Amino acid sequence: MCKLLTYLFSSLVNNQKTKPKSYNHYLYSFFDINVVTLLNIWREEKNLTVLQKDLSIVLDIAGDHAKWLSDNIIDLDDFKKRGHYFNNERFDQIQIYYPDAKISENISKGYISPQSVVAAWDRSEPHARTMYGDYTHVAVGSCDKFVVAIFNKTIKKKNKKFIIMTK
């Protein structure tokens, strides 16, 4: 079972209010926290900085993506179908709120423990490059047999400017 709550989210982009969007508010599970802990242990062994748990909208997107993968029961090699999710406006929210962020993602399917997830990423050159990359934060979401980790760096919330109209 995925730990998701639905809420409405609205944003200001280019000083225009967008339509409220339905998002899932994801809560870290014990499994997810252990993945983050193990990522940091492995990173510390390589003298890399410890990743902070991302509690922003990025966490919601990681959890939502894990649920989407689980609901659609797709093969991880089906990049065309997976690509649909990344073109989705929800993933684009990261770039809207954090336009200067460097973002990468690792996904696993079918591993039953946090240790097996992190070990599998370490054995895969592209996943290891992300896992040991120059990032400051990580958001981990899991649902059923899927684990999604979104790594990011220099996330600064975009300043929202409000214009006050006077007569």
Side-chain angles (χ1 to χ4, degrees):
M1 175 125 208
C2 307
K3 297 184 177 26
L4 301 169
L5 304 170
T6 302
Y7 71 99
L8 289 178
F9 186 83
S10 63
S11 63
L12 288 173
V13 180
N14 298 328
N15 295 326
Q16 294 180 5
K17 193 166 186 169
T18 60
K19 291 189 271 180
K21 297 175 177 76
S22 176
Y23 281 85
N24 292 315
H25 183 65
Y26 187 81
L27 306 173
Y28 273 107
S29 69
F30 184 70
F31 187 97
D32 305 335
I33 291 168
N34 281 319
V35 169
V36 173
T37 300
L38 288 168
L39 284 169
N40 281 324
I41 289 170
W42 289 51
R43 286 176 62 89
E44 283 181 318
E45 288 174 358
K46 295 189 180 286
N47 296 317
L48 299 171
T49 58
V50 170
L51 299 169
Q52 301 298 310
K53 276 188 296 199
D54 195 327
L55 301 174
S56 72
I57 190 171
V58 179
L59 173 60
D60 297 333
I61 292 168
D64 192 53
H65 192 190
K67 178 155 179 20
W68 183 87
L69 289 165
S70 178
D71 289 348
N72 288 282
I73 311 172
I74 65 167
D75 182 352
L76 287 180
D77 291 329
D78 186 358
F79 289 104
K80 185 175 182 181
K81 190 170 184 180
R82 278 180 54 205
H84 171 73
Y85 183 86
F86 293 107
N87 294 326
N88 184 302
E89 65 187 28
R90 289 183 179 185
F91 194 77
D92 291 342
Q93 288 293 320
I94 295 174
Q95 290 298 323
I96 290 170
Y97 281 87
Y98 309 108
D100 299 326
K102 171 186 170 186
I103 301 166
S104 291
E105 179 182 61
N106 278 357
I107 299 174
S108 70
K109 175 185 175 186
Y111 295 96
I112 60 171
S113 71
Q115 294 85 353
S116 61
V117 169
V118 175
W121 288 341
D122 182 63
R123 288 189 306 268
S124 164
E125 195 274 324
H127 291 91
R129 188 171 47 245
T130 298
M131 188 168 100
Y132 299 124
D134 185 22
Y135 298 100
T136 57
H137 292 77
V138 65
V140 175
S142 60
C143 188
D144 299 329
K145 58 190 171 262
F146 292 95
V147 178
V148 173
I150 299 176
F151 298 81
N152 52 66
K153 180 180 179 176
T154 60
I155 292 203
K156 292 188 235 177
K157 197 160 194 164
K158 188 175 183 179
N159 289 335
K160 296 179 181 167
K161 296 180 181 178
F162 297 89
I163 299 173
I164 300 173
M165 303 295 283
T166 58
K167 289 187 176 185

